[in-house]
Amino acid sequence: MTINNSFAQTIRSIFTDGGALLFCIVVPLVYPVLYSLIYNRENVREVPVTVVDECRSPISRDYIRRLDATADVRVTGHAPDMLTAQEGIKKRDVYGIVRIPSDFHDALMQGRQTHVQCYCDMSGMLYYKAILTANTDVSLAMNAEVKVADLGGNPVAMASGINGGTAEQRGVLQHPVRYEAVSLFNAQSGFASFLIPAVLVLVIQQTMLLGIGLLAGTRRERGVRTSTELGALSTLTGVALAFIAVYIPVSAYVLCVVPAMFDLPQIGSLWHLAMLMLPFLVAVFNLGITVATLPRHRETIFLLVVFTSVPLLFLTGVSWPGAAMPDFWRYFAMIFPSTHGANAYIRIYAMGATLADVRHEYLMLWALAAFYAFTAWLSVRFVFMKKRTENAGHAVETAEI
Amino acid sequence: MFRIFLRELRRLATTPLCWFMLVGGPLFCAILLTTMMQDGLPSDLPVGMVDMDRTSTSRNLSRNIDAFQICRVSGHYASVSEARKAMQRGEIYAFYYIPEGTTRKLQAQQQPIVSFYTNPQYLVAASLTYKDMRMMSELMGGAATRSVLKARGVGNEQLMGMLQPIVIDCHPISNPSLNYNVYLSNILLPGVFSLFFLFMTVYGIGLEIKENTADELMLSAAIDGRMTSLGTAFRALFGKLAAQGLVMHLVSWLLMAYLYGVLHFPCQCGLPVMLLIASLFVVASQGMGVLMICALPGLRMGLSFASLWGVISFSICGMSFPAMAMPEWVQGLTVLFPLRHYYLLYVNCALDGYPILNVWPFALALVGFALLPLLFVRRFGRIMLHTAYAP
């Protein structure tokens, strides 16, 4: 079969085969949108907490008011004691308890330390983060005020000799050093902006693997025939060109249109992204041929590919930091195009890096493309030889894609 | 029915793919995820320093950041732009910037400003480094106030009450070390197992059609001699499910024993209750599997359905991103996913240690999923007898 024929035939089968159409076109269109809808609110806000105010003084009520005013936490109830407050956790009405000790007011007046207790539900790290952040913010703000407040002979104010000092002096005492925390690239620390880009790259890889596997399986089960080994090579080239031709618009939609639809970070250069996607798509295609040729039944590809989505997402090192991964898994992760693809895509498109900044990933993708081209050739040849021995003396039939 | 059960066990044992789906694949994932996060909390994440001040104070600050558990100062950069470039190259997760004149201003009481930059494109690393760097910045201010107060003759006991009057004591319930392995593996692994079980159920039924063994199956189930009767279909379906379920139970229990017995993840309710919950989850997954293959006859469509459903479960169960922050209509959909119920049962029993009756609706929901096959017995019989495989 010539390259032209095989190209045209593959394009036709992608659009006529139900399974291939579903995974190469429909899933890339719909799945990223679905994921973005789930995560699109970016942050968890107004986590409900219960307060146990054992002090009941104006200053403890001030603490509670400020806590309620933060974006992260909402005070939904007051409990008389811890036992009652725990009922709220038990019913999952609240995700945390804030307990203000009975000596809260006295300690502040006398210049002693006082401890506010926060109990956080650990079913999700985001609850914990919200409750801790809100309480830390409120306590730091109040600490700064307590330092200079004229609380009838506040020891700090007296010791520092600024009782009745100027506003500037008070300011210096409150914050001898000022600090600024800057979140780069994902300014709101949003969950969608963080997770979706890695998911997008995985969607491209996994759907292409499934698409190749399904088409290969169908052809094999229906016994499509080509005549020679050379024919196999040109057929394969045609199939590769067809898949890449389909996946260029698909990738453009998944990697550029979806982030635009959901306001995910997108500050990168399209040209650099396009340059990156070339080795990525080639590497994924070759990997696809390598895996797809092996199983006998077309359905088997689901079983081999789908479950890997979750482990592969973790292996990218985007959620669990790559620097904290055991070496063995870090090297293991390198054999998958998604690892390099996801990191390079995030750095180029969400963080504004150039192709030179992702040199390592870019070169690794070409290396993988070459390596998997070799394995793809091996596995096509393996099937080819097997068929030939099976059909010895008859017309040669190959079972490659 | 026992004959079907034995026949199915034989099929499972002789098909390598079934070994992969029921044993090899799930166990591989269990090992991968738990060993990947074996540290519990990441430590020594590389961060950069941009020290334009170059005094003993600023160098001390850099050493202190390095001494924190999470951060490791992996490089010093000449400017903020260079540090930002290093971040874009993926070399550091965050960096700390001390401008020129910080020490001089500090001593002259002119309120110098320092800053730190985190990168929430890597959210976990960003939250953790942020926490350490913020703490460091607070301590820096505290140290300055302390030397002023000490110079004025304030004693050590009084000092802390002045530097930090209100202290926040945080108590993460049941996971005091913020172990991410506990937080993630406890849900991700049952989720992956359930994905395999969905596949196995769909595949087990679909393969009968594909390999033209459906007639034979129905024949051996037809003890009353009528292949089309409801009883025959019932025996065939549940015989198969029982055999598969037996293996799934063993594998799931193995996972529970590994998580709570070997890794000692918090399990306030005791292992038996988690084994019960794992069993409920297994039969619920089987129920969903039967629904998938019967609603969409054909192995291919059934497996596609299982793939899409199973993979979205991980996001929609609300484990990583809370359901309360999802759009309302998505919140409503979460009940359709067994993993969501499993997650809530696990949190209630293993993590918080409340009795399972406290969350009986979720247990009931899993039972509901498990009963789904009863609705499809007739349809199962028809599919087995009348559907031909189309590649």
Side-chain angles (χ1 to χ4, degrees), chain B residues 11-32:
Chain B
R11 279 173 72 100
L12 292 180
T14 52
T15 317
L17 206 57
C18 294
W19 277 93
F20 167 74
M21 270 189 289
L22 289 177
V23 185
L27 294 187
F28 172 76
C29 291
I31 302 289
L32 188 148

Side-chain angles (χ1 to χ4, degrees), chain B residues 330-369:
Chain B
V330 179
Q331 287 182 31
L333 292 179
T334 58
V335 297
L336 299 177
F337 294 80
L339 190 59
R340 168 81 180 153
H341 302 283
Y342 176 84
Y343 163 66
L344 293 169
L345 284 168
Y346 151 76
V347 167
N348 176 78
C349 296
L351 206 56
D352 292 349
Y354 295 121
I356 193 168
L357 285 178
N358 183 38
V359 283
W360 61 268
F362 307 127
L364 198 66
L366 288 185
V367 174
F369 283 111

Side-chain angles (χ1 to χ4, degrees), chain A residues 90-390:
Chain A
K90 191 176 172 185
K91 290 189 201 131
R92 293 193 79 70
D93 292 334
V94 295
Y95 295 90
I97 304 170
V98 178
R99 173 167 164 252
I100 301 178
S102 52
D103 74 338
F104 188 70
H105 172 262
D106 292 353
L108 291 182
M109 291 299 152
Q110 292 162 4
R112 284 187 285 118
Q113 259 186 340
T114 177
H115 293 249
V116 171
Q117 313 289 332
C118 298
Y119 301 85
C120 310
D121 176 88
M122 290 305 287
S123 60
M125 282 288 171
L126 291 182
Y127 299 129
Y128 162 78
K129 192 178 153 195
I131 295 171
L132 180 62
T133 310
N135 279 286
T136 308
D137 287 348
V138 171
S139 74
L140 289 178
M142 283 182 77
N143 281 349
E145 287 170 26
V146 169
K147 274 190 211 168
V148 296
D150 198 4
L151 301 170
N154 177 317
V156 188
M158 289 199 348
S160 52
I162 58 138
N163 245 347
T166 63
E168 200 174 335
Q169 281 175 312
R170 283 163 185 263
V172 173
L173 187 67
Q174 281 182 328
H175 302 287
V177 182
R178 287 195 171 276
Y179 61 85
E180 284 169 355
V182 185
S183 297
L184 289 171
F185 312 121
N186 175 5
Q188 54 187 339
S189 297
F191 206 89
S193 308
F194 138 73
L195 195 62
I196 295 290
V199 170
L200 295 179
V201 174
L202 267 174
V203 165
I204 292 180
Q205 170 178 307
Q206 303 295 79
T207 56
M208 178 134 96
L209 293 181
L210 285 171
I212 294 169
L214 285 173
L215 284 193
T218 313
R219 289 204 180 189
R220 196 156 46 249
E221 286 184 7
R222 289 181 187 157
V224 176
R225 35 197 299 168
T226 44
S227 48
T228 61
E229 233 171 294
L230 199 65
L233 187 67
S234 65
T235 311
L236 210 55
T237 315
V239 177
L241 290 176
F243 264 96
I244 290 171
V246 168
Y247 263 82
I248 286 173
V250 167
S251 305
Y253 165 80
V254 172
L255 299 179
C256 302
V257 178
V258 171
M261 276 159 65
F262 293 96
D263 292 327
L264 304 178
Q266 31 187 333
I267 58 173
S269 138
L270 283 176
W271 170 243
H272 289 269
L273 181 60
M275 292 297 287
L276 172 77
M277 287 319 285
L278 180 66
F280 178 73
L281 291 180
V282 175
V284 174
F285 176 81
N286 290 340
L287 172 62
I289 294 294
T290 308
V291 229
T293 335
L294 300 176
R296 236 171 340 134
H297 300 294
R298 61 172 273 162
E299 287 78 14
T300 313
I301 194 72
F302 284 106
L303 315 173
L304 294 180
V305 170
V306 174
F307 87 94
T308 60
S309 303
V310 174
L312 282 182
L313 182 64
F314 274 82
L315 284 172
T316 59
V318 172
S319 61
W320 179 257
M325 221 182 265
D327 285 338
F328 176 77
W329 292 125
R330 220 177 38 241
Y331 291 122
F332 180 68
M334 285 188 182
I335 64 171
F336 300 102
S338 55
T339 306
H340 310 289
N343 277 292
Y345 168 65
I346 291 170
R347 301 222 299 267
I348 285 185
Y349 205 59
M351 294 167 56
T354 60
L355 203 57
D357 293 328
V358 298
R359 189 170 42 228
H360 171 73
E361 281 74 12
Y362 184 72
L363 293 177
M364 279 305 288
L365 282 175
W366 276 120
L368 285 183
F371 173 73
Y372 285 127
F374 177 66
T375 55
W377 176 74
L378 279 186
S379 84
V380 168
R381 200 182 146 75
F382 171 73
V383 176
F384 182 84
M385 294 311 244
K386 208 167 80 179
K387 279 276 169 182
R388 193 150 63 180
T389 32
E390 277 170 17

Side-chain angles (χ1 to χ4, degrees), chain A residues 31 117 298-299 347 351, chain B residues 88 138 171 210 300 308:
Chain A
Y31 235 51
Q117 313 289 332
R298 61 172 273 162
E299 287 78 14
R347 301 222 299 267
M351 294 167 56
Chain B
Q88 286 170 328
E138 283 292 332
H171 309 276
K210 179 161 178 172
R300 193 175 60 214
L308 301 175

